[in-house]
Amino acid sequence: MTETDFQYVQELAARHAGIVLVRGKEYFVESRLGSIARSAGYGTLAEFIAQLRRVPVGTPHLQAVEALCTQETSFFRDFHPFELLRQSLLPDLLRKRAATRELRIWCGAAATGQEPYSLAILLREHFLQLAGWRVQILATDLSEATLRRARVGAYTQLEANRGLSAALLVKYFDQDGTQWLIKDDVRSMVEFRPLNLIGSWPTLPSMDLVLMRNVLIYFDTATRQDILRRLRQVLRPDGYLLLGSAETTLHLDGSYELIQHERVTCYSPAQVADPLADALNRLSGLSGQ
Ligand SMILES: C[S@@+](CC[C@H](N)C(=O)[O-])C[C@H]1O[C@@H](n2cnc3c(N)ncnc32)[C@H](O)[C@@H]1O
């Protein structure tokens, strides 16, 4: 692809998803956008991009941006964070919320649903005491197409094999031809909604646990800082944040405390030395949203 076309796509991805496409990613862009161009009836990628340039930003542009997002995910991805949740973070949150019997969890880049469904399965499997609690799992993503797949909750054998044991598979999924369909009682635990992390966020309830995994890596430093700052306002003071293994708040946002558990780092809002300064910070943050 030409340099000018690549620059156009770079700008589109940065403006609408915050995604940084560095030089050298031309091949990736060609392969992702090439298939969209072909299915939309364009002879070449250059023709498709020329058309995108001609018309005001609309559905085809956003579809192109979505195609540039990496949706790589799997059930119980990385294993250890889910062990930490099972052994430590969830029991701790259950103790802290015993009076209200409410638990709110947000998966901020849910992709095709494996991550929020893993959480729902974990809760079903190991926290029977949550029966009678109000448990909310909000799963959001930029990509509408991805969210449609997530809501259906149908996975190929290959996708199911990535992270699910045979026992969990038959317990929480129904076989439907060549696919495995998540059972209704697990599906209904998760609410899927579109949310662009770099846009303005709708009013969200305070969260006890946020999973924002494997998405910050695609953003530049200022965008990561902005998202971490806004997350801090959504996360309850005694709640937890989990990031991807290649992501951290370190050197980006000092208002998180790092808690190291063997192989996993999780984050919690740092204790505030000066509550008045903290309140003023939050207010200035809110006015900047
Ligand atoms: C690599 S997947 C991570 C999925 C899951 N969290 C995990 O760790 O397995 C990244 C997801 O981030 C989403 N994404 C990319 N940019 C986004 C943005 N600006 N706002 C919301 N979601 C975004 C993509 O659509 C994709 O589904």
Side-chain angles (χ1 to χ4, degrees), residues 66-67 69 71 111 140-148 194-195:
E66 287 189 14
C69 294
Q71 259 104 32
T140 63
D141 200 279
L142 163 88
S143 165
E144 293 277 0
T146 306
L147 286 172
R148 276 197 293 278
L195 188 152

mmCIF file of all heavy atoms in Angstrom, residues 66-67 69 71 111 140-148 194-195:
data_model
loop_
_atom_site.group_PDB
_atom_site.id
_atom_site.type_symbol
_atom_site.label_atom_id
_atom_site.label_comp_id
_atom_site.label_asym_id
_atom_site.label_seq_id
_atom_site.Cartn_x
_atom_site.Cartn_y
_atom_site.Cartn_z
ATOM 1 N N GLU A 66 -12.673 -1.319 13.194
ATOM 2 C CA GLU A 66 -12.904 -2.557 13.969
ATOM 3 C C GLU A 66 -12.044 -3.696 13.454
ATOM 4 O O GLU A 66 -11.525 -4.501 14.223
ATOM 5 C CB GLU A 66 -14.385 -2.968 13.887
ATOM 6 C CG GLU A 66 -15.282 -2.079 14.715
ATOM 7 C CD GLU A 66 -16.715 -2.617 14.811
ATOM 8 O OE1 GLU A 66 -16.946 -3.780 14.460
ATOM 9 O OE2 GLU A 66 -17.577 -1.856 15.256
ATOM 10 N N ALA A 67 -11.889 -3.731 12.114
ATOM 11 C CA ALA A 67 -11.086 -4.812 11.530
ATOM 12 C C ALA A 67 -9.620 -4.671 11.921
ATOM 13 O O ALA A 67 -8.863 -5.646 11.884
ATOM 14 C CB ALA A 67 -11.230 -4.800 10.015
ATOM 15 N N CYS A 69 -8.640 -3.849 14.898
ATOM 16 C CA CYS A 69 -8.473 -4.204 16.315
ATOM 17 C C CYS A 69 -8.159 -5.690 16.414
ATOM 18 O O CYS A 69 -8.810 -6.503 15.768
ATOM 19 C CB CYS A 69 -9.761 -3.945 17.095
ATOM 20 S SG CYS A 69 -10.217 -2.221 17.201
ATOM 21 N N GLN A 71 -8.552 -9.067 18.107
ATOM 22 C CA GLN A 71 -9.574 -9.621 19.014
ATOM 23 C C GLN A 71 -9.101 -10.905 19.700
ATOM 24 O O GLN A 71 -9.914 -11.647 20.236
ATOM 25 C CB GLN A 71 -10.860 -9.883 18.224
ATOM 26 C CG GLN A 71 -11.899 -8.798 18.443
ATOM 27 C CD GLN A 71 -12.003 -7.860 17.276
ATOM 28 O OE1 GLN A 71 -11.794 -8.266 16.151
ATOM 29 N NE2 GLN A 71 -12.315 -6.617 17.550
ATOM 30 N N ALA A 111 -13.993 -8.416 23.884
ATOM 31 C CA ALA A 111 -13.830 -9.144 22.624
ATOM 32 C C ALA A 111 -15.011 -10.102 22.409
ATOM 33 O O ALA A 111 -16.159 -9.707 22.612
ATOM 34 C CB ALA A 111 -12.476 -9.853 22.587
ATOM 35 N N THR A 140 -17.863 -4.794 27.914
ATOM 36 C CA THR A 140 -17.949 -3.793 26.852
ATOM 37 C C THR A 140 -16.808 -3.974 25.860
ATOM 38 O O THR A 140 -15.773 -4.557 26.172
ATOM 39 C CB THR A 140 -17.889 -2.358 27.436
ATOM 40 O OG1 THR A 140 -16.620 -2.167 28.064
ATOM 41 C CG2 THR A 140 -18.994 -2.110 28.434
ATOM 42 N N ASP A 141 -17.026 -3.447 24.681
ATOM 43 C CA ASP A 141 -15.987 -3.460 23.654
ATOM 44 C C ASP A 141 -16.355 -2.396 22.631
ATOM 45 O O ASP A 141 -17.512 -1.985 22.525
ATOM 46 C CB ASP A 141 -15.898 -4.841 22.978
ATOM 47 C CG ASP A 141 -14.568 -5.069 22.274
ATOM 48 O OD1 ASP A 141 -14.404 -4.585 21.127
ATOM 49 O OD2 ASP A 141 -13.682 -5.704 22.864
ATOM 50 N N LEU A 142 -15.352 -1.996 21.885
ATOM 51 C CA LEU A 142 -15.566 -1.027 20.809
ATOM 52 C C LEU A 142 -16.338 -1.659 19.654
ATOM 53 O O LEU A 142 -17.159 -1.018 19.007
ATOM 54 C CB LEU A 142 -14.179 -0.592 20.311
ATOM 55 C CG LEU A 142 -14.081 0.099 18.969
ATOM 56 C CD1 LEU A 142 -14.261 1.582 19.162
ATOM 57 C CD2 LEU A 142 -12.742 -0.171 18.323
ATOM 58 N N SER A 143 -16.055 -2.924 19.387
ATOM 59 C CA SER A 143 -16.494 -3.538 18.146
ATOM 60 C C SER A 143 -17.893 -4.142 18.265
ATOM 61 O O SER A 143 -18.125 -5.084 19.017
ATOM 62 C CB SER A 143 -15.485 -4.631 17.753
ATOM 63 O OG SER A 143 -16.052 -5.459 16.781
ATOM 64 N N GLU A 144 -18.813 -3.578 17.484
ATOM 65 C CA GLU A 144 -20.202 -4.062 17.487
ATOM 66 C C GLU A 144 -20.268 -5.504 16.987
ATOM 67 O O GLU A 144 -21.005 -6.324 17.528
ATOM 68 C CB GLU A 144 -21.059 -3.193 16.553
ATOM 69 C CG GLU A 144 -21.248 -1.765 17.037
ATOM 70 C CD GLU A 144 -22.360 -1.633 18.060
ATOM 71 O OE1 GLU A 144 -22.990 -2.653 18.396
ATOM 72 O OE2 GLU A 144 -22.591 -0.510 18.534
ATOM 73 N N ALA A 145 -19.485 -5.791 15.927
ATOM 74 C CA ALA A 145 -19.530 -7.131 15.335
ATOM 75 C C ALA A 145 -19.071 -8.161 16.370
ATOM 76 O O ALA A 145 -19.657 -9.246 16.513
ATOM 77 C CB ALA A 145 -18.646 -7.181 14.100
ATOM 78 N N THR A 146 -18.038 -7.792 17.108
ATOM 79 C CA THR A 146 -17.505 -8.695 18.123
ATOM 80 C C THR A 146 -18.520 -8.899 19.240
ATOM 81 O O THR A 146 -18.708 -10.015 19.729
ATOM 82 C CB THR A 146 -16.202 -8.081 18.682
ATOM 83 O OG1 THR A 146 -15.355 -7.829 17.580
ATOM 84 C CG2 THR A 146 -15.522 -8.982 19.658
ATOM 85 N N LEU A 147 -19.189 -7.822 19.612
ATOM 86 C CA LEU A 147 -20.183 -7.923 20.684
ATOM 87 C C LEU A 147 -21.360 -8.807 20.268
ATOM 88 O O LEU A 147 -21.911 -9.542 21.074
ATOM 89 C CB LEU A 147 -20.697 -6.530 21.077
ATOM 90 C CG LEU A 147 -19.718 -5.677 21.885
ATOM 91 C CD1 LEU A 147 -20.250 -4.255 22.040
ATOM 92 C CD2 LEU A 147 -19.488 -6.297 23.265
ATOM 93 N N ARG A 148 -21.709 -8.729 18.974
ATOM 94 C CA ARG A 148 -22.813 -9.595 18.491
ATOM 95 C C ARG A 148 -22.433 -11.055 18.690
ATOM 96 O O ARG A 148 -23.233 -11.851 19.149
ATOM 97 C CB ARG A 148 -23.101 -9.314 17.009
ATOM 98 C CG ARG A 148 -24.046 -8.129 16.795
ATOM 99 C CD ARG A 148 -24.634 -8.135 15.393
ATOM 100 N NE ARG A 148 -23.629 -7.893 14.368
ATOM 101 C CZ ARG A 148 -23.181 -6.693 14.003
ATOM 102 N NH1 ARG A 148 -23.662 -5.610 14.592
ATOM 103 N NH2 ARG A 148 -22.269 -6.560 13.070
ATOM 104 N N PRO A 194 -21.739 -1.718 23.920
ATOM 105 C CA PRO A 194 -20.627 -1.066 23.231
ATOM 106 C C PRO A 194 -20.058 0.066 24.080
ATOM 107 O O PRO A 194 -20.818 0.780 24.738
ATOM 108 C CB PRO A 194 -21.268 -0.507 21.952
ATOM 109 C CG PRO A 194 -22.730 -0.461 22.225
ATOM 110 C CD PRO A 194 -23.042 -1.447 23.297
ATOM 111 N N LEU A 195 -18.771 0.203 24.119
ATOM 112 C CA LEU A 195 -18.142 1.342 24.811
ATOM 113 C C LEU A 195 -16.742 1.534 24.222
ATOM 114 O O LEU A 195 -15.931 0.603 24.227
ATOM 115 C CB LEU A 195 -18.052 1.079 26.320
ATOM 116 C CG LEU A 195 -17.602 2.255 27.195
ATOM 117 C CD1 LEU A 195 -18.189 2.132 28.602
ATOM 118 C CD2 LEU A 195 -16.098 2.375 27.302
#
